[in-house]
Amino acid sequence: MNISNLFTRIFSSLLLILPFSSCNKKIPDGDIKNFVDKLNYKDAYDFVNTASSQTTVKHYVNSQIDGSLQMNIQIDKKEYKYRYSESIVDGFFHGTSEGQYFFNNQKTLCYMYDNNVVSAYQLTDNVNDNIKYSPDDVLLSIKNFFYTQLDSNIYRGGFYYGDYIKINCARYYENFSLNDSKDELTYSINTVSQDDDNTDILNMHSFTVNSYGMLLKLNSVAKNNSKKIKSETTTYITYNSDFVHFDKL
């Protein structure tokens, strides 16, 4: 499985937290509207020089953890085009509807110092996968940190949440809040859905973005009390901080 597919599988499910909606409501005047009105993808992309993220997905049965996935990502798009990721699978990880993860550890590194020279490495359970990346592949791997789909000028997927917020803030206005310094916006909601057996699933979601609409932290919990199963996802991201760059794996 390549890095882009793995990234998309994880975050396509997370980004269902805010469904797109066609709503004629307007955001009330005030600090939240001022915050949301300033969000746009170009500013968010320009703001990020480097970023480090950690996402952990844990699955519980009868209050005992039976599987987990941890994914760490680092990008640098200022000094040179660089992306590193590591995915660690433990126990029986249930993955997504597309299937299980068939490795315990996978590391992927790609970068280029100019527009022509590319270095790419991938190790899956310490076995070299002999991958080859083109310059476009390197740029795509970095782009996927921000979004994975572009539809009608709406950026979807990845860690840029600005367009989701702009489209949904009016409808879910009561679920948004600003911190005291008004530079971070948080969305929180609890909902109930049903699985294929019509048993209730309690969904508890919360995420926080910075003033550019880039995700800072996320917590998502889905609980099926009848079946005594629970899934929890957490993400934490830092921007424009130094980190160690690998030359090879």
Side-chain angles (χ1 to χ4, degrees):
M1 181 184 302
N2 65 42
I3 185 173
S4 297
N5 288 344
L6 178 60
F7 182 90
T8 302
R9 283 177 55 178
I10 295 170
F11 295 103
S12 61
S13 60
L14 295 185
L15 292 175
L16 294 176
I17 292 171
L18 270 181
F20 283 107
S21 61
S22 56
C23 179
N24 295 323
K25 295 177 65 176
K26 294 183 178 181
I27 304 173
D29 290 336
D31 292 332
I32 290 179
K33 185 178 187 300
N34 294 338
F35 184 103
V36 174
D37 284 347
K38 294 177 183 178
L39 298 177
N40 70 83
Y41 175 75
K42 184 181 183 303
D43 287 347
Y45 185 84
D46 291 344
F47 159 73
V48 178
N49 293 318
T50 65
S52 298
S53 70
Q54 181 181 93
T55 294
T56 302
V57 183
K58 295 181 179 179
H59 189 272
Y60 296 85
V61 176
N62 293 322
S63 300
Q64 300 295 317
I65 187 168
D66 76 333
S68 66
L69 167 68
Q70 180 174 310
M71 186 174 185
N72 307 313
I73 300 174
Q74 294 176 326
I75 67 165
D76 183 341
K77 68 178 186 63
K78 181 181 181 182
E79 300 301 329
Y80 56 100
K81 305 303 181 184
Y82 174 99
R83 181 174 184 189
Y84 168 81
S85 74
E86 180 176 15
S87 300
I88 304 166
V89 178
D90 186 43
F92 182 71
F93 182 70
H94 289 251
T96 69
S97 59
E98 296 182 52
Q100 307 295 330
Y101 291 91
F102 296 103
F103 58 80
N104 293 313
N105 183 282
Q106 185 176 79
K107 301 177 183 179
T108 305
L109 170 67
C110 63
Y111 59 88
M112 60 181 177
Y113 291 99
D114 56 41
N115 291 329
N116 297 310
V117 180
V118 174
S119 297
Y121 308 88
Q122 183 166 283
L123 293 177
T124 302
D125 292 334
N126 295 318
V127 176
N128 191 338
D129 289 337
N130 295 314
I131 63 171
K132 292 183 179 180
Y133 272 29
S134 69
D136 286 344
D137 292 330
V138 177
L139 296 176
L140 176 64
S141 71
I142 295 171
K143 184 215 74 173
N144 282 347
F145 187 89
F146 296 88
Y147 74 97
T148 58
Q149 289 180 270
L150 178 58
D151 301 314
S152 301
N153 294 320
I154 297 171
Y155 294 87
R156 305 175 62 180
F159 290 128
Y160 173 66
Y161 276 36
D163 286 356
Y164 281 83
I165 293 169
K166 289 163 65 176
I167 291 173
N168 288 276
C169 186
R171 181 176 181 182
Y172 300 101
Y173 181 78
E174 298 301 325
N175 298 99
F176 286 90
S177 61
L178 284 170
N179 63 350
D180 290 340
S181 56
K182 297 180 176 57
D183 59 359
E184 295 181 5
L185 183 70
T186 296
Y187 172 83
S188 299
I189 191 170
N190 295 339
T191 62
V192 176
S193 59
Q194 281 75 40
D195 65 8
D196 293 339
D197 298 323
N198 293 320
T199 59
D200 287 346
I201 301 173
L202 174 62
N203 305 286
M204 297 170 284
H205 300 303
S206 177
F207 68 73
T208 299
V209 301
N210 63 16
S211 58
Y212 294 92
M214 294 300 299
L215 184 68
L216 295 173
K217 58 184 178 180
L218 174 148
N219 184 261
S220 179
V221 178
K223 297 175 63 176
N224 187 320
N225 292 324
S226 298
K227 297 182 179 180
K228 298 182 179 179
I229 58 177
K230 179 177 75 169
S231 179
E232 181 173 10
T233 300
T234 58
T235 296
Y236 296 96
I237 309 178
T238 58
Y239 298 100
N240 300 335
S241 298
D242 293 333
F243 59 81
V244 176
H245 294 71
F246 297 104
D247 290 326
K248 59 183 179 180
L249 296 178

